[in-house]
Amino acid sequence: WIFDWPQRRYRPPTVQDQIDAIQLGNALDCVAAVNAPFICSEFDPRTENIESARLLLLHTRKPGWVGTSSGAQVKYLAELAELAAGGDRERLRTQPPIIVTAYCTTSPLKLDTRSCEVLEQALKYGFPVNFAPMPILGATSPVTPAGSAIVAAAEILGCLTATTLIQPDRFYFSTSIAAEMDMRTTQVCFATPAAILTDAALHQLFRSKYGLVHNVEPAYVEAKVPGIQAAMMKVYRQMALGSTVSLPLAIGALDSAAVFSPTQAMIDLEMNEALYKFYAGMEVSEETMCLDLISEMEFCSQRTYLETEHTARHFRQVGWLPKLMDRTYCDHESPAVVSDETLLERADQAWRQLVAQQEPPDVDPHWARELDRITAAAREELLAE
């Protein structure tokens, strides 16, 4: 789903929504790789992933990936990945563009048939293998973080063992997205202390005991619309993971990643910049300690630090300068303005302006024809049924 802020409702994403989201990622300098966040309702489900991959390649020069849960799609996504990577085999072995195959285990201790079908096809192309358990504390795994971490670790190790026996030199890693069952509502909740501790324990176990990369997924929060609850849950989840694992800095996801909101994404970006600057720590050097300047300024009797060249050189790098937050002075004698709605309106306008300013990237005609050939072949086979 997309959350349409002006209409205040969820709706199925269109092709234009997908293009807008890709162009938004392309417009942001801090984004290294742009994914296709939507499942487009205008495409047939049998080819949707491939059609979205085509849109991705046509509208950004820093393509990330689309996922797949269909073994039949893998060979076409593999062709698109090779086209995007320019034949770079090492990149395809460790971090392929276009295709991501995360094999979500089903707690406790199962890997379903569909995931195995995708895995069987993906192994032919040498892609990295990522096993991703999603234990639900108190429902599909023990209610305690320690017990759930054991179940999830067993799932990962069991799957790794099986695939390593088939292909010992495969590039392996894992991911976890632990959640907690809310016993009052039966909602699956990700932004909880117990769920985050489970993910952190798995990361530290695999890093220290097995020497394997274990990622955590920060984007899942149960907040359903842009606003205060979404911001609170996202900041809490990312600060907790940043203190124990790494700083993932996801943007835009709502309702346990069933919804993408570009409006929320703009708010997330501002919060993420503050988190990034905090976790980066402070530089301690002659330039930043500026002892000579402190000695010169003494009690600021002649001028203030606001007037120094040192401040002019560093304030953009050191400071946090959000564009959406209201940081103006307040007149306490005037009626108070509740500004949450205003903030969301500004966020919605911000992403639309970024997209409107984007020019489509230049595409080599031969490369575009090859892209269309692969997509047409996928349509012919996968829609024939």
Side-chain angles (χ1 to χ4, degrees):
W1 299 92
I2 181 172
F3 186 82
D4 190 318
W5 171 252
Q7 297 185 41
R8 307 296 197 273
R9 70 181 182 92
Y10 306 103
R11 57 176 176 79
T14 65
V15 170
Q16 189 57 54
D17 291 325
Q18 190 80 289
I19 293 172
D20 287 348
I22 293 166
Q23 290 182 328
L24 174 60
N26 204 52
L28 298 169
D29 292 337
C30 59
V31 169
V34 182
N35 299 337
F38 295 123
I39 298 172
C40 288
S41 59
E42 296 176 19
F43 293 132
D44 188 293
R46 292 170 292 179
T47 57
E48 189 279 330
N49 308 58
I50 295 158
E51 300 284 4
S52 287
R54 177 178 176 273
L55 293 178
L56 191 62
L57 289 174
L58 286 175
H59 292 93
T60 182
R61 293 277 69 84
K62 47 182 183 179
W65 51 80
V66 299
T68 182
S69 57
S70 165
Q73 293 176 345
V74 171
K75 66 179 179 181
Y76 297 108
L77 291 169
E79 287 189 61
L80 293 175
E82 185 153 359
L83 186 65
D88 184 340
R89 302 310 304 174
E90 182 60 19
R91 185 179 176 195
L92 291 171
R93 189 183 79 84
T94 58
Q95 48 179 340
I98 297 304
I99 182 171
V100 59
T101 49
Y103 308 104
C104 294
T105 58
T106 304
S107 298
L109 306 173
K110 292 187 287 290
L111 187 67
D112 67 20
T113 301
R114 187 169 60 177
S115 292
C116 288
E117 290 171 351
V118 175
L119 175 60
E120 181 183 12
Q121 296 303 315
L123 286 174
K124 297 175 183 178
Y125 299 96
F127 293 139
V129 175
N130 173 23
F131 291 111
M134 298 181 69
I136 303 172
L137 281 70
T140 64
S141 64
V143 74
T144 54
S148 282
I150 288 171
V151 169
E155 291 170 10
I156 295 167
L157 292 172
C159 291
L160 286 178
T161 301
T163 50
T164 302
L165 289 170
I166 299 169
Q167 292 193 354
D169 60 347
R170 184 60 52 240
F171 186 92
Y172 296 103
F173 62 103
S174 57
T175 304
S176 62
I177 317 173
E180 175 185 330
M181 175 69 77
D182 186 324
M183 298 302 176
R184 297 169 304 169
T185 65
T186 71
Q187 173 66 278
V188 175
C189 299
F190 298 88
T192 76
I196 295 168
L197 284 168
T198 303
D199 283 336
L202 285 163
H203 169 82
Q204 293 177 10
L205 170 68
F206 277 86
R207 181 181 61 187
S208 62
K209 188 74 174 176
Y210 303 116
L212 288 173
V213 173
H214 181 87
N215 297 317
V216 294
E217 170 53 70
Y220 284 60
V221 295
E222 45 275 20
K224 296 172 179 59
V225 297
I228 294 173
Q229 181 177 344
M232 181 188 75
M233 287 184 163
K234 284 167 175 277
V235 169
Y236 166 63
R237 186 161 166 78
Q238 295 205 140
M239 289 199 78
L241 290 171
S243 299
T244 54
V245 180
S246 63
L247 199 59
L249 302 178
I251 63 171
L254 295 168
D255 193 21
S256 303
V259 175
F260 181 77
S261 165
T263 305
Q264 182 66 47
M266 301 309 292
I267 297 171
D268 294 344
L269 278 170
E270 293 214 336
M271 296 189 299
N272 288 356
E273 184 187 9
L275 291 171
Y276 178 81
K277 286 178 176 287
F278 173 77
Y279 281 99
M282 64 177 178
E283 177 190 347
V284 180
S285 64
E286 289 188 12
E287 174 67 13
T288 62
M289 291 189 295
C290 53
L291 297 178
D292 290 341
L293 178 62
I294 294 170
S295 179
E296 174 193 335
M297 297 295 289
E298 291 186 331
F299 305 107
C300 290
S301 54
Q302 303 298 319
R303 60 189 181 124
T304 67
Y305 286 98
L306 188 61
E307 302 163 78
T308 65
E309 286 296 320
H310 186 270
T311 297
R313 284 198 304 273
H314 293 283
F315 82 94
R316 286 187 179 86
Q317 174 192 353
V318 174
W320 179 48
L321 306 170
K323 297 177 182 177
L324 302 178
M325 311 290 177
D326 182 359
R327 301 170 83 182
T328 59
Y329 285 103
C330 180
D331 176 6
H332 297 104
E333 296 181 353
S334 299
V337 177
V338 179
S339 59
D340 294 338
E341 193 90 355
T342 305
L343 171 64
L344 287 161
E345 292 290 350
R346 283 201 295 265
D348 193 69
Q349 292 168 15
W351 80 261
R352 295 180 190 277
Q353 289 170 2
L354 283 170
V355 170
Q357 294 164 3
Q358 279 294 289
E359 296 290 336
D362 292 330
V363 177
D364 177 80
H366 173 75
W367 188 89
R369 285 194 297 272
E370 181 65 8
L371 176 61
D372 289 342
R373 181 197 65 77
I374 296 168
T375 309
R379 291 178 192 137
E380 183 177 357
E381 178 186 347
L382 299 176
L383 299 182
E385 299 173 5

